[in-house]
C-alpha cells in the first residue's frame, strides 16, 4: 500500500507565478489535510478536505490560496501570484473516515525567487 | 483554542544516554495527543499516540510518552538513544471532536557519538 504521495518534491517559482502542489492520499483514505511549515517553525494547519468538499479552511490565507479535492484525481493546493513569503515546505496528510491519526506525505518544498 | 508548547528547541545528547523531550498543551476540551518524527527532507512519521486508556503509551523505535492531565503534559522519553534517532520531533494535539491538528514548533534532537 503506497503511502501519501506528493509532487513535485521541489518547486521553484518566480514572484508572480502560480504554484500547483499535488497530493494523492493513501488508498482508501477520503480525508486530506494541507499544512505549511516555515523555516524553524512547526506545521501550521491550512485546510481540511473530503472528496469534493472543503470542510475547514480556517488556516488558509484569505487571498491567492485555494485547495480542491475532486472526485477523481489528487488534491491540489494552488497558490496564485506567489511571493517570497510563500517559500516553505507544504505537507499533505490523509486519513480514513473516523480516524484519529494522519499519515503524512514527504512534502513539497516551494522556493520563490 | 488549542496550543502546543515544546519547551526545548534543541536537545543534544550522547549516544546510549536517556532523553526526554517536553511537550505541554493547553485546551478547554478533551484532546488526543501525538508525537511525530521528521527525518531530514522527509515527511512526518507517527511515533505514538494517546487517545484514551493507559496514560503511558509505547511507540515505535523504543520511544514512550506519558499523558499527565493535571500538568497538561505529554513528554516523550527514550531510555537509550541511538545515532539514528537524530531528527526533528513534533508534538501535536487534536480535539476529540474534530480532525484539525495543532503542532508544536519542534525539538531538534542531536545524538552525539
Amino acid at each position: 500500500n503506497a503511502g501519501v504521495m506528493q509532487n513535485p518534491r521541489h518547486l521553484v517559482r518566480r514572484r508572480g507565478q502560480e504554484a500547483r502542489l499535488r497530493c494523492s492520499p493513501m488508498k482508501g483514505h477520503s480525508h486530506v489535510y494541507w499544512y505549511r511549515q516555515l523555516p524553524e517553525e512547526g506545521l501550521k494547519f491550512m485546510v481540511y478536505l473530503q472528496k469534493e468538499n472543503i470542510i475547514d479552511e480556517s488556516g488558509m490565507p484569505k487571498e491567492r490560496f485555494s485547495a480542491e479535492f475532486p472526485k477523481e484525481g489528487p488534491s491540489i493546493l494552488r497558490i496564485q501570484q506567489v511571493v517570497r513569503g510563500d517559500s516553505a515546505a507544504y505537507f499533505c496528510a490523509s486519513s480514513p473516515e473516523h480516524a484519529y491519526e494522519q499519515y503524512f506525505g514527504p512534502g513539497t518544498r516551494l522556493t520563490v525567487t | 483554542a488549542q496550543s502546543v508548547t515544546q519547551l526545548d528547541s534543541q536537545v543534544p545528547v550522547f549516544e546510549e544516554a536517556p532523553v526526554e523531550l517536553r511537550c505541554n498543551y493547553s485546551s478547554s476540551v478533551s484532546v488526543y495527543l501525538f508525537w511525530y518524527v521528521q527525518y531530514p527532507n522527509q515527511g512526518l512519521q507517527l511515533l505514538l499516540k494517546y487517545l484514551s486508556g493507559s496514560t503511558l503509551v509505547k511507540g515505535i523505535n523504543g520511544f514512550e510518552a506519558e499523558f499527565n492531565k493535571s500538568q497538561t503534559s505529554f513528554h516523550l522519553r527514550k531510555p537509550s538513544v541511538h545515532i539514528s534517532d537524530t531528527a526533528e520531533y513534533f508534538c501535536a494535539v487534536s480535539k476529540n471532536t474534530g480532525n484539525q491538528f495543532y503542532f508544536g514548533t519542534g525539538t531538534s534532537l542531536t545524538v552525539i557519538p
Side-chain angles (χ1 to χ4, degrees):
Chain A
N1 186 11
V4 178
M5 309 283 284
Q6 287 187 252
N7 67 82
R9 294 290 306 275
H10 299 274
L11 181 62
V12 179
R13 285 286 178 266
R14 287 196 294 272
R15 277 183 300 170
Q17 291 185 317
E18 178 180 287
R20 280 182 181 243
L21 288 62
R22 295 175 186 78
C23 169
S24 296
M26 287 180 69
K27 188 177 181 181
H29 287 192
S30 56
H31 298 214
V32 166
Y33 314 81
W34 284 94
Y35 295 85
R36 177 165 62 177
Q37 183 180 32
L38 294 169
E40 308 300 322
E41 293 187 18
L43 279 74
K44 294 287 195 291
F45 168 81
M46 298 181 75
V47 63
Y48 161 36
L49 310 104
Q50 295 178 19
K51 286 282 187 182
E52 300 184 282
N53 280 309
I54 296 175
I55 306 302
D56 182 350
E57 57 181 347
S58 58
M60 286 279 270
K62 293 288 183 274
E63 297 176 348
R64 301 187 297 108
F65 285 71
S66 62
E68 63 177 10
F69 188 17
K71 187 176 180 181
E72 301 290 338
S75 175
I76 306 287
L77 179 67
R78 182 181 176 207
I79 311 172
Q80 296 178 290
Q81 299 173 343
V82 295
V83 301
R84 287 224 173 96
D86 297 331
S87 295
Y90 292 83
F91 288 95
C92 169
S94 73
S95 71
E97 196 166 1
H98 306 307
Y100 303 112
E101 66 185 73
Q102 298 179 7
Y103 297 82
F104 282 80
T108 294
R109 279 154 182 82
L110 172 65
T111 302
V112 180
T113 62
Chain B
Q2 285 69 42
S3 69
V4 180
T5 302
Q6 292 184 244
L7 295 167
D8 307 300
S9 60
Q10 295 184 345
V11 173
V13 62
F14 286 104
E15 191 175 12
E16 297 184 6
V19 70
E20 179 179 81
L21 306 183
R22 296 180 291 171
C23 172
N24 288 85
Y25 68 93
S26 63
S27 176
S28 56
V29 300
S30 297
V31 296
Y32 298 138
L33 296 151
F34 306 80
W35 275 99
Y36 283 85
V37 60
Q38 183 182 30
Y39 298 103
N41 298 316
Q42 294 187 26
L44 276 69
Q45 179 183 358
L46 181 69
L47 274 179
L48 49 77
K49 62 188 176 190
Y50 171 80
L51 303 181
S52 65
S54 172
T55 56
L56 183 62
V57 180
K58 294 191 183 297
I60 62 171
N61 301 341
F63 283 94
E64 64 179 32
E66 185 156 19
F67 169 54
N68 188 320
K69 189 174 181 179
S70 63
Q71 296 186 2
T72 59
S73 68
F74 191 55
H75 300 334
L76 181 71
R77 296 192 291 260
K78 186 169 182 177
S80 175
V81 295
H82 301 140
I83 296 292
S84 59
D85 292 324
T86 294
E88 192 84 15
Y89 291 79
F90 291 96
C91 181
V93 302
S94 71
K95 290 187 292 187
N96 64 1
T97 55
N99 296 75
Q100 185 178 143
F101 276 39
Y102 300 85
F103 284 86
T105 51
T107 297
S108 177
L109 173 65
T110 301
V111 179
I112 304 164

